[in-house]
Structure formats: C-alpha cells, structure tokens
Amino acid sequence: MLKGFSVPLTPQGKSPLVNLPPWHYSSDCIAIEYWADPAAIEALLPPGVIRDSQSEGRAFFWFLDWQFTGSNDELTDPARYQYREAFVLVEAVFDGKPINYCPFIYVDNDAAISRGWAQGFPKKRASVFQTRSFAASSPAAAPLAKGSRFGASVAAHDERLATARIRLEEAVKDPTKVFNRPTVMRRYFPQLAAGRQDKPSVNELTLSLTDNLRIVDVWAGLAELSIPEVFNEELHALAPRRVGRGYRLGMSYSVTDLKILKDYNA
Amino acid sequence: MLKGFSVPLTPQGKSPLVNLPPWHYSSDCIAIEYWADPAAIEALLPPGVIRDSQSEGRAFFWFLDWQFTGSNDELTDPARYQYREAFVLVEAVFDGKPINYCPFIYVDNDAAISRGWAQGFPKKRASVFQTRSFAASSPAAAPLAKGSRFGASVAAHDERLATARIRLEEAVKDPTKVFNRPTVMRRYFPQLAAGRQDKPSVNELTLSLTDNLRIVDVWAGLAELSIPEVFNEELHALAPRRVGRGYRLGMSYSVTDLKILKDYNA
Amino acid sequence: MLKGFSVPLTPQGKSPLVNLPPWHYSSDCIAIEYWADPAAIEALLPPGVIRDSQSEGRAFFWFLDWQFTGSNDELTDPARYQYREAFVLVEAVFDGKPINYCPFIYVDNDAAISRGWAQGFPKKRASVFQTRSFAASSPAAAPLAKGSRFGASVAAHDERLATARIRLEEAVKDPTKVFNRPTVMRRYFPQLAAGRQDKPSVNELTLSLTDNLRIVDVWAGLAELSIPEVFNEELHALAPRRVGRGYRLGMSYSVTDLKILKDYNA
Amino acid sequence: MLKGFSVPLTPQGKSPLVNLPPWHYSSDCIAIEYWADPAAIEALLPPGVIRDSQSEGRAFFWFLDWQFTGSNDELTDPARYQYREAFVLVEAVFDGKPINYCPFIYVDNDAAISRGWAQGFPKKRASVFQTRSFAASSPAAAPLAKGSRFGASVAAHDERLATARIRLEEAVKDPTKVFNRPTVMRRYFPQLAAGRQDKPSVNELTLSLTDNLRIVDVWAGLAELSIPEVFNEELHALAPRRVGRGYRLGMSYSVTDLKILKDYNA
C-alpha cells in the first residue's frame, strides 16, 4: 500500500513532498498595500470572478518567511520544510462578495509548491528574502519599533521581480480592518494527451480555508514597492501606480480543508 | 482569455511555467545498470504493474543534463529552461509486456517539475551534477574515449541521495539492446477537500511517448553506484545489491502526447 | 580613487563585497556542547596553539541565522546581506590561556566569506538551516518555552555535514558560565607565484574582537548531534564521542578591529 | 602538519577549498565584443594601468562553463568542482603594452572564488548560465552551425546583471587575431586591524600565466548584450555603447604560476 498526499507515493510515506493534513504554519510577513491598473487586474481574473468597482485596483504584495509542520516534527527538519514566499493578492468580486484573488505566487520550496498547487496557488520557484527582527539589540536587529526599516525582495529565473521597503510608524490595534477578505484561487492541472490539451484535468475555482488564524504584532508604516519590467514575465502588468501603507506582522493558521467554489469542467 | 499549459495562466502566456507542446529536449546522460531488492521494487509499483520475474531487480539510475525548448526560443533563456535531472527506472511488467517504471525522480527546475507532474513523473527538487565532456583537450576535459572518468550526484533537502562514477571502456554500436523498454508512470494530483482526501483528482497510469528519439555517442564501461540511507527518504530501499555497466550517451526527443494506460478513478 | 574594504574595488564603493567597518551583527543561534577526540582536535591546531588538557576534547557546534548591516542600510537588502552560518569551536590553549579555536566554518553568503577570511575564519560555502521561533502561536511556531524542539543542519557540495536537534528545558540566567572563551583563528592568504607556494602571503594567528556583545534569551536543553563521514571532507574527524547540552540564544555584536596574536611570517 | 593551498588547512588536505597547483581547466565560452565608455573603464583601472587610447573603450564580456581538476580526480566530483563564470575584460595599457584588465568577475563556486582571489580575480558569487551545444540533434540541441542561437546570463544577489545572445554565422580560423592580449589583475587582501585598514595586507598587480592554452571550435556571429542598471552595483558603468561580434568557443589551459608585475606595498 503506497502512502502520501502528493507524489512520490512510497510504502512508508516518508518520501512524498506532502503528507495528509493537518498542515500547520507560522510566519513573519511584510505586506504592501498598493494600487495597480484595474484593467490589468481584470485581465488576470478567471471566469466568474469580476472586477471590484469599489477597489480601483487595490492590491497587496506579500513577503513571508514560513515555518511549516505536519504531524511528524517537520519543523525540526528546516532544510526540507522551512521556506519563503511572495505573492500578490488583487481585490475582486465573486458571487457578489468582495474577495482577494491570487494571480502570482513565488516560493523557494518544492513541498510548498506541491501543497500550493493542490489548493490552487499558481506557485513558481523563486528566491525570496525579507529583513528579520532579531532579539539581540544592535544596529542590525530591526526591532518592532517606530523607525525600524525592513526590506524584501523576490527573484525568479535570475531576474528581480519585486523589491519593497517599509519604515515602521505605529502598532495596529485592529488588523481585521486591513486584512479581511477571503482568498480565492484557481486550482488547475493540465492534460497532455493529444487532442485534449485544451481540457485541463482539474479546473476549479477554490476558496482558501484556514483554522485558528492568528495575526499578531502588526505594525504599519511608510512603504515603497517596485515591480520592474522583466523579459517574458507578466507580473509587471500589476506594477504599482500608487503605494499605500506597509505592514509587518506575524501570522499563523492550520489547513485541513479546501472549498471548491466552482468546477469549470462541470 | 488566459493562456498557458500550466499555472500561472496569464493574458499573454509569458509567465506560465509551461506552454503548449511540442516540447523539445536534448541531453547528455550517465546511466548505471544495477540490481536492487526485487521486493523493494515490487513495494513501489502501482496497481496493475507487477514484478518482472525475469529481471531479478534490474534497474537503471540516470543522471541527465537537459536543454529544453518550446516554440519561443526557450533554449536561449538557459537561466529559466536549462536543467539537470536524476531518476531511477525499475524493470516491471504491465499488461504482459516488459516496461520500465519510474518511482523516484529529482530535478533542479520548476518548469521541469510542472511538465513532469503533467506526465506522471513524481519529481522532487534536487541538486544534480555530472562530469561533462569538453572539446578543448586537457586533464579536465573528460573526452569520449577509453579511460575517461565521469562522476555524477544527486542531493535533495541538503542530503546526498546517490553518487555514481564510471570509466569508459568502449563505444556501443547498438544501444537498442540496452535501452528498449517503454517508460510507465503514475499521473497523480491530490484532492484537499475534507472527506475526499483519499480520492485523488487525477490518478492514472501513463506511458511516455517520444517523437524523434535519438540516442548517440554511446559508450559503456565500469561503474560504481551508492545510494546511502538518508533520514526520511525511501530511495535507499532501491540501493544496489550489484552494479552492472555504466553508460554515457547523448539523447534527444520531442514530446507532443501522452498515453493514458489506465484511469484508476474510472 | 577606488573604494572598498574588499574586492572588487570600484569608484563609488557600491560593488565591493565588503565596505569598511563598523560591521554590525544580530543572530539567532543554536549551539551544541560536545566532546570530540582530543587527538583529532590537536591535529587541527596551528603552531603555538596547544591542546587544553583540562577540556578532554570539549567543543561547540554552532548554527547561526545572521543579519548584517554596515553603515549603508545593508539590513534592508537581505538578498545580499542576510545569511546563515555553522562552525565548530574547539577548546585549546594559547599563551597559557584557555581559548576557542575555529578549524571549520560554513556560510551561505559571499560577503560573509570575504569578511571571514579577512579575520581568519576559514569559511567555505554551504547551505545552513535552523528551526526558527515565530511570534504567532501554532504547532509550527517553536516558541522559546519548555518542550520546544529545534533542528539545524549544514551541507556543503551537496553532502550533509552535520545535523543537530535540541529540546528546550530551562532558561539560562548566566550564559557567561557557558560562553566565555575568546575565539582564535588563523588568518591565511596563499601565494601562487612558482617557487613560493609554500610561503603564504598572509599567515597570522588572530583574536576575534567584538564590541557591544549581547547574549539574550538563552535556553538550554537536551541535544543530539551527528557529523557523518563524508567523502573528501575532514569535519568528521571532530565527530561527537559524547554530546552535552544544547543551547538556543540570541547574540549581537559589532566588529571594528582584529588583534594579531602572532605573525608566522615574521 | 596541516595541508592545503587555501583554507581550511587540515591534516590530510581533503577539506581545503583548493590544493596546490597544477590546476587544469576546460570550458565552453561565449564572449561578446563591445565598447563601453572609455572614462568608465579608466575609473576602474588600478595605479599604473592606463587607458588604451587605441581601443576607444573596447571590452569583452565572457560567460564560461568550466570543468576543473587538480591531481585528485576532482573532475569526477562535479558537485564540488564544476562551475560557471562571467567576467568583463577591458582593454588597457601597462608598461607600454596592450593588456586586458579584469574589473568584475562572477562565479557560482567557492573553490573558484578561492583560486581567483589568490590570482587577483575580484570574484563575487553569482548564478551564471549559457546555452549548451548537445550532440543529439533536436530543436533543443544548439549545434555549432550557422544559424544556431545561444543565450547567456549572470545574476548576483537576485539581480540580473547582464544578458547576452548570439547567432552563429561562421567558423573563425585564426582566433589569435581576436583573443591575444595578456590578462592583468589586482591581487588584494585587506587588513582589519584598527588603524591599518587603509593598508591592505596584499596589494599587487599580477599577470595571469597559462600553460598549454588551447582555443578550439571558434565561431563568430551576431551579438546582443545588455547590462542594466542595478541598485548598489557598478557593473552598469561598463554598459555597452556599441556591440560588436559574438563568439562561441572551447578553451583549456593549466595554471601553475602567477607573475607579480608590481607590489603596491613595496
């Protein structure tokens, strides 16, 4: 009997990239509020997800240092399971309700790619960094305090895709006013058999479900964000026209389920 | 209209990891013939694929330096599309016919992971190297000639999974006597929705189809292969009990199709 | 006028790997106390540094997640300056006084290699990881609390060189009882001119000088450490015969100077 | 007795990044002839090396896939010793004679950094790629033939520093007309002791010496080269004003010696 949530399936279930949920996550995050071209956002939305006429192109660019664990002490094997991620969430509407949609996401770990694709996150491999806040005070420590500066970047196939910087100004008491839309993705797995390459095997609209979501130590401040034009990469279509506030926070949650909003193959 | 064979789908189809076939490949390869524990091979086979009682555990461990191109000059963007791979093929039987089955495969490139999963290759990310043969003569050149020595290795999550060395002895006139079994894989895409996590969305047995297969410059010689025991990795179950000959060759082919041998969900 | 502390020297001093001190550092650290073969330690000591007959082979294996900054906001450019490191400190005696000597050190960043060689740290490039402690509570968070588990690893040229695990038991009030020896290194830069290759251009015994050293949040607990035998690597000579306690701590300091204890060329 | 050409010195000499010469190299190379701002070149030259008034800013941007071996079968350990490199050579004059000077060089391997610094090459770590020519014919093979296209790129700290493309037109019979200047470097090792940080321990002008230089299979053709402006990196000062021909060739040589042209500390 072969075991595993993902490939490779093996007799003991040790080699698979991913094993069965629950999956637990804790992270440090930098998130930049900004406004992109609403038409560029619209062009990236899947069928049934429409432009949010209220949001005028509002988006968030996130950078995350993640720690993952399943049920087998994965957090003590950081070479395999610790990872870094960056993604864009654009504001949109599905079924009359405001949502965030994820058109681009980058990560430096294959287990995270495997979990992400199973959920609908269109992950590519990248190199991602963010300034960290260390306990031992020093000009190098970046404490969570007014005036602290943080930088973040993401690069794929040896091209810098985005760079951000923030300067902390004040703690945020109620982050639910900032981060409150559900996240919608497109779960997609292609088909290679000739004659059916336009009929993906899996083509669904999904909703991310999180258990025990915690958002802590939220600070806000000044932000910069650049998304340069890069050869053969369309992320630049979502370049900032205007940048809002920058946030630095901690976040944790667990994943055990996924909601299928729509099956495009049905 | 969103374009792409794989995620992320985008308006111009530049960002997707993979675009529609044809996919063209050329490579330099090191392949080690060896014999593993037949019971360990059997334990890795999917339903309907059975032990090859003739082969006594025969397997090949491959290392490949690949160049890929689609229809958009991908070969001139090597930072994105050139890659290295290692895999095991074990001898088995399907539907009464001798085949090779691929239980483990490792690669250093996300576009290759995406194409591979669509075909049924259970790819994980790894670091792969092989000695190359250079044109400018030197003690460092490793020419295709009697006595030349080549090494190869694969590592994942910072653990060395396999190491091989060969010493060339003679050119091989007819490689079809060595490499002649079709390759069978399991195409598998999991489902995260609660209550259905034991019902993968895609679960098929597939057959690799190659157009214009060319095998050139085949040399054979002495070989060494080690597959050490590594924490939380089952590749070691296929460690060599006996090592046969080592091969160094060039190989090219194109991919436009995939044959579905069996749909386990049907 | 060309500028820079290290190569490449450039007109504006932006490209050099390293600029002039002060250099500021803050880190999270995992340190494993253990005992190696005293004869193996002795065989690695430079002239004038002798065996510590009191220590019976005591050593510490360190893993560090570092943040660096100079005077130009380097901490906001983490893709270039944030890094991870692992090293061994062995107990020895110089000039009648107990010291730690550093025979092996591994790091994932070239700026850190450049600063290290200038000080006498014999750095090689590696991949280093440690479990991190995150603020947002979760099974993945690894808080600084009794029972928390941390793992760490270092790999070079695709071989795992060392793996450690600790389980926190109690906070340590006075870390100066644990970490109190000065660190001594050999600063060494070779000479390639024929006939003088046995006369290194720089060959000195040095003492690490740190300003504003702070050690915070120290916890101790149970520890495991393995240093497997690896082809063509001698770190294994310092494999543990016995493992003591494991520590998890924060540390920061600045560097502006280096003491030359001895010039072997004089 | 500790052994090694470079750190770390060890009893058996297995761990050092580099052992004593001879060092043997073979490579595939892409080289782009171009013209930069002569004043920008002049600003990068060390004392005593002057502008070449004949060359009008002529330079070559090189990309190299290298295989290295010493005397211990290093070529069979490609995970440790095979590497990729990119550098600029600018035309200049020393002691009345035309030379090439190397102000910037990037490499993906620490052993290559160590050898390079000992010679005077100001290496930084980077990610480097070039299209390869494979034996098995395919649209992916890039044969050495009229019309074949090759790409190359170099990135450091997650920023693309340069991208090149060439299209082969014709074989070059006599490459000595193209590649015939000796290469001059600045060998430099800094000093950290306070009060002497402006007095580097090693500060020499050196001349690269190569034994058994072979240049083979030289093709020339059309070339493109871009060197974009990157934050905190001065390579862009040498961006092309005009691009000449592109070359693809094989090259091998051995290194056993280095000539010191001038000791700036004397």
Side-chain angles (χ1 to χ4, degrees):
Chain A
M1 185 58 192
L2 294 166
K3 296 177 189 163
F5 177 77
S6 81
V7 294
L9 306 180
T10 55
Q12 297 179 59
K14 291 180 179 174
S15 289
L17 284 164
V18 184
N19 276 301
L20 283 170
W23 303 331
H24 307 289
Y25 301 87
S26 190
S27 63
D28 288 343
C29 315
I30 288 172
I32 312 290
E33 174 196 42
Y34 78 101
W35 285 263
D37 176 2
I41 289 176
E42 191 169 19
L44 283 159
L45 300 177
V49 178
I50 62 170
R51 190 169 175 156
D52 184 339
S53 57
Q54 310 295 309
S55 83
E56 297 175 356
R58 195 168 177 246
F60 278 85
F61 206 108
W62 286 77
F63 298 90
L64 304 99
D65 275 20
W66 283 113
Q67 195 152 269
F68 165 84
T69 203
S71 303
N72 297 298
D73 273 330
E74 286 86 348
L75 86 168
T76 64
D77 193 359
R80 186 161 172 179
Y81 292 110
Q82 200 181 82
Y83 66 105
R84 290 162 165 174
E85 195 166 78
F87 55 76
V88 190
L89 296 179
V90 295
E91 297 191 343
V93 166
F94 174 73
D95 210 10
K97 293 179 202 104
I99 59 154
N100 281 325
Y101 180 74
C102 180
F104 292 107
I105 177 166
Y106 304 91
V107 70
D108 67 359
N109 176 276
D110 56 355
I113 286 178
S114 181
R115 286 189 307 268
W117 288 8
Q119 294 171 280
F121 288 107
K123 295 191 181 187
K124 293 176 63 166
R125 182 179 156 205
S127 175
V128 184
F129 284 93
Q130 69 172 264
T131 303
R132 292 171 53 179
S133 191
F134 284 88
S137 74
S138 154
L144 294 185
K146 187 173 158 68
S148 272
R149 301 182 64 219
F150 292 75
S153 63
V154 53
H157 29 87
D158 285 353
E159 296 268 17
R160 178 69 64 97
L161 298 182
T163 305
R165 281 189 177 75
I166 62 171
R167 179 191 297 265
L168 303 188
E169 292 184 314
E170 70 213 343
V172 174
K173 299 242 167 88
D174 184 3
T176 63
K177 291 188 181 156
V178 184
F179 307 110
N180 50 21
R181 290 179 175 225
T183 301
V184 169
M185 303 88 74
R186 184 179 199 167
R187 203 169 99 96
Y188 191 93
F189 192 72
Q191 183 157 225
L192 179 57
R196 288 182 286 162
Q197 291 169 2
D198 59 346
K199 295 178 180 60
S201 298
V202 177
N203 191 8
E204 302 168 341
L205 197 70
T206 63
L207 177 73
S208 173
L209 299 177
T210 57
D211 304 329
N212 302 318
L213 176 66
R214 288 186 188 89
I215 295 183
V216 303
D217 297 347
V218 186
W219 281 73
L222 298 173
E224 300 165 50
L225 174 67
S226 66
I227 302 179
E229 193 160 358
V230 163
F231 178 70
N232 267 348
E233 212 23 84
E234 292 172 64
L235 178 62
H236 173 72
L238 297 182
R241 293 179 153 191
R242 182 161 63 91
V243 177
R245 306 202 81 193
Y247 297 88
R248 203 279 182 189
L249 56 136
M251 179 168 63
S252 64
Y253 56 76
S254 298
V255 169
T256 57
D257 193 2
L258 180 75
K259 183 165 181 183
I260 312 302
L261 298 176
K262 189 168 187 161
D263 183 347
Y264 293 115
N265 283 344
Chain B
M1 186 57 192
L2 294 166
K3 296 177 190 163
F5 177 77
S6 81
V7 295
L9 306 179
T10 55
Q12 298 179 59
K14 291 179 179 175
S15 289
L17 284 164
V18 185
N19 276 302
L20 283 170
W23 304 330
H24 307 290
Y25 301 86
S26 191
S27 63
D28 287 343
C29 316
I30 289 173
I32 313 291
E33 173 196 43
Y34 78 102
W35 285 263
D37 175 2
I41 289 176
E42 190 169 19
L44 282 158
L45 300 178
V49 178
I50 62 171
R51 191 167 173 158
D52 184 340
S53 57
Q54 311 295 309
S55 84
E56 298 175 355
R58 195 167 177 248
F60 277 84
F61 206 107
W62 286 77
F63 299 90
L64 304 100
D65 276 18
W66 283 112
Q67 195 151 269
F68 166 83
T69 203
S71 303
N72 297 298
D73 273 332
E74 285 85 351
L75 86 168
T76 65
D77 193 359
R80 186 161 172 179
Y81 292 110
Q82 199 180 84
Y83 67 104
R84 290 160 167 177
E85 196 166 77
F87 55 77
V88 191
L89 296 179
V90 295
E91 297 191 344
V93 166
F94 175 72
D95 210 9
K97 294 180 201 102
I99 59 155
N100 281 324
Y101 179 74
C102 180
F104 293 107
I105 177 167
Y106 304 91
V107 71
D108 66 0
N109 176 277
D110 55 356
I113 286 179
S114 181
R115 287 190 306 269
W117 289 6
Q119 293 170 282
F121 288 107
K123 296 191 180 187
K124 293 176 63 166
R125 181 180 156 205
S127 174
V128 184
F129 284 91
Q130 68 173 262
T131 304
R132 292 171 53 180
S133 191
F134 285 88
S137 73
S138 155
L144 293 186
K146 187 172 159 68
S148 273
R149 301 183 63 221
F150 292 75
S153 63
V154 53
H157 30 87
D158 285 353
E159 296 268 17
R160 178 68 64 96
L161 298 182
T163 304
R165 281 190 177 75
I166 62 171
R167 180 191 295 266
L168 303 188
E169 292 184 314
E170 70 213 341
V172 173
K173 299 245 167 87
D174 185 3
T176 63
K177 289 187 183 158
V178 184
F179 307 111
N180 50 21
R181 290 179 175 226
T183 300
V184 169
M185 304 88 74
R186 184 180 198 167
R187 203 170 98 95
Y188 193 93
F189 191 71
Q191 181 156 228
L192 180 57
R196 288 182 286 162
Q197 291 169 2
D198 59 347
K199 295 177 181 61
S201 298
V202 176
N203 191 7
E204 301 168 342
L205 198 70
T206 63
L207 177 73
S208 173
L209 298 178
T210 56
D211 303 329
N212 302 318
L213 176 66
R214 287 187 190 87
I215 295 182
V216 303
D217 296 346
V218 186
W219 281 73
L222 299 173
E224 300 165 51
L225 174 67
S226 67
I227 303 180
E229 193 161 359
V230 162
F231 177 70
N232 268 347
E233 204 39 72
E234 292 171 63
L235 178 62
H236 174 72
L238 298 181
R241 293 179 153 191
R242 182 160 63 91
V243 177
R245 305 203 83 192
Y247 297 88
R248 203 278 183 189
L249 57 136
M251 178 168 64
S252 64
Y253 56 76
S254 298
V255 169
T256 57
D257 194 3
L258 180 75
K259 183 166 182 184
I260 312 301
L261 298 175
K262 188 168 187 163
D263 183 347
Y264 294 115
N265 283 344
Chain C
M1 186 57 193
L2 294 166
K3 296 176 188 163
F5 177 76
S6 81
V7 294
L9 306 179
T10 55
Q12 298 179 60
K14 290 179 179 175
S15 288
L17 284 164
V18 184
N19 275 302
L20 283 171
W23 303 331
H24 308 289
Y25 301 86
S26 191
S27 62
D28 287 342
C29 315
I30 288 172
I32 312 290
E33 174 196 42
Y34 78 101
W35 284 263
D37 176 2
I41 290 176
E42 190 170 19
L44 282 158
L45 300 178
V49 178
I50 62 170
R51 190 169 174 156
D52 184 340
S53 57
Q54 310 295 311
S55 84
E56 298 175 356
R58 194 169 178 245
F60 277 85
F61 206 108
W62 286 76
F63 298 90
L64 304 100
D65 275 19
W66 283 112
Q67 195 151 270
F68 166 83
T69 203
S71 303
N72 297 299
D73 274 330
E74 285 85 349
L75 86 168
T76 64
D77 193 359
R80 187 161 172 179
Y81 292 111
Q82 199 180 82
Y83 67 104
R84 290 162 166 176
E85 195 166 78
F87 55 76
V88 190
L89 296 179
V90 296
E91 296 191 343
V93 166
F94 174 72
D95 210 9
K97 292 177 203 106
I99 60 154
N100 281 325
Y101 179 74
C102 180
F104 293 107
I105 177 166
Y106 304 91
V107 70
D108 67 359
N109 175 278
D110 56 355
I113 287 178
S114 181
R115 288 191 306 269
W117 289 7
Q119 293 170 281
F121 287 106
K123 295 191 181 186
K124 292 175 64 166
R125 181 179 154 204
S127 175
V128 184
F129 283 92
Q130 68 173 265
T131 303
R132 291 171 54 178
S133 191
F134 284 88
S137 73
S138 155
L144 294 185
K146 187 172 160 68
S148 273
R149 301 183 63 219
F150 292 75
S153 63
V154 53
H157 29 87
D158 286 352
E159 295 268 18
R160 178 70 63 97
L161 298 181
T163 304
R165 281 188 178 76
I166 62 172
R167 179 190 296 265
L168 302 189
E169 292 184 312
E170 70 212 342
V172 174
K173 299 243 168 87
D174 185 2
T176 63
K177 290 187 182 157
V178 184
F179 307 110
N180 51 22
R181 290 178 174 225
T183 301
V184 169
M185 302 89 73
R186 185 180 198 167
R187 202 169 98 95
Y188 192 92
F189 191 71
Q191 182 159 226
L192 180 57
R196 288 181 287 163
Q197 292 169 0
D198 59 346
K199 295 178 181 61
S201 297
V202 176
N203 192 6
E204 300 168 342
L205 198 70
T206 64
L207 177 72
S208 172
L209 298 178
T210 56
D211 304 330
N212 303 317
L213 176 66
R214 287 187 190 87
I215 294 182
V216 303
D217 296 347
V218 186
W219 281 73
L222 299 173
E224 301 165 49
L225 174 68
S226 67
I227 303 180
E229 194 160 357
V230 163
F231 178 69
N232 268 348
E233 206 33 78
E234 291 172 62
L235 178 63
H236 174 71
L238 298 181
R241 294 179 153 191
R242 182 160 62 93
V243 177
R245 305 202 84 193
Y247 297 88
R248 204 277 182 188
L249 56 136
M251 180 168 63
S252 64
Y253 56 75
S254 298
V255 169
T256 57
D257 193 3
L258 179 75
K259 184 166 181 183
I260 311 302
L261 297 175
K262 190 168 185 164
D263 183 348
Y264 293 115
N265 283 343
Chain D
M1 186 58 192
L2 294 167
K3 296 176 189 162
F5 178 76
S6 81
V7 294
L9 305 178
T10 55
Q12 297 179 60
K14 291 179 179 174
S15 289
L17 284 164
V18 185
N19 275 302
L20 283 170
W23 304 330
H24 308 289
Y25 301 86
S26 191
S27 62
D28 287 342
C29 316
I30 288 173
I32 313 290
E33 174 196 43
Y34 78 101
W35 285 264
D37 175 2
I41 290 175
E42 190 169 19
L44 281 159
L45 300 177
V49 178
I50 63 170
R51 191 168 173 156
D52 183 340
S53 56
Q54 310 296 308
S55 84
E56 298 175 358
R58 195 167 177 248
F60 278 85
F61 206 108
W62 286 76
F63 298 89
L64 304 100
D65 276 18
W66 282 112
Q67 195 152 269
F68 166 83
T69 203
S71 303
N72 297 298
D73 273 330
E74 285 85 349
L75 86 167
T76 65
D77 193 359
R80 187 161 172 178
Y81 292 110
Q82 200 180 81
Y83 66 104
R84 291 162 166 176
E85 196 167 77
F87 55 76
V88 191
L89 296 179
V90 295
E91 297 191 344
V93 166
F94 174 73
D95 210 9
K97 292 177 204 105
I99 59 155
N100 281 325
Y101 180 74
C102 180
F104 293 106
I105 177 167
Y106 304 91
V107 70
D108 67 359
N109 175 276
D110 55 354
I113 286 179
S114 181
R115 288 190 306 268
W117 290 6
Q119 292 170 283
F121 288 107
K123 295 190 181 186
K124 293 176 64 165
R125 181 180 156 204
S127 175
V128 184
F129 283 92
Q130 68 174 263
T131 303
R132 292 170 55 178
S133 191
F134 284 87
S137 73
S138 155
L144 295 185
K146 186 171 160 70
S148 273
R149 301 183 63 220
F150 292 74
S153 63
V154 54
H157 29 87
D158 286 352
E159 296 268 18
R160 178 69 64 96
L161 298 181
T163 305
R165 280 187 178 76
I166 63 172
R167 180 191 295 264
L168 302 189
E169 292 184 312
E170 71 214 339
V172 174
K173 300 243 169 86
D174 185 2
T176 64
K177 290 188 181 157
V178 185
F179 307 110
N180 50 21
R181 290 178 174 226
T183 300
V184 168
M185 304 88 74
R186 185 179 198 167
R187 203 170 97 95
Y188 192 92
F189 191 71
Q191 181 157 228
L192 179 57
R196 288 182 286 163
Q197 291 168 2
D198 59 346
K199 295 178 180 60
S201 297
V202 176
N203 192 6
E204 301 168 343
L205 198 69
T206 63
L207 177 73
S208 173
L209 299 178
T210 56
D211 303 330
N212 303 318
L213 176 66
R214 287 187 189 87
I215 294 182
V216 303
D217 296 346
V218 186
W219 282 72
L222 299 173
E224 300 166 50
L225 174 68
S226 67
I227 303 180
E229 193 160 357
V230 163
F231 178 70
N232 267 348
E233 208 32 79
E234 292 171 64
L235 178 62
H236 175 71
L238 298 181
R241 294 180 152 191
R242 181 161 63 91
V243 177
R245 305 203 83 193
Y247 297 88
R248 204 279 183 188
L249 57 137
M251 179 169 62
S252 64
Y253 56 76
S254 298
V255 169
T256 56
D257 193 2
L258 180 75
K259 183 166 182 184
I260 312 301
L261 298 175
K262 188 169 187 164
D263 183 347
Y264 292 116
N265 283 344

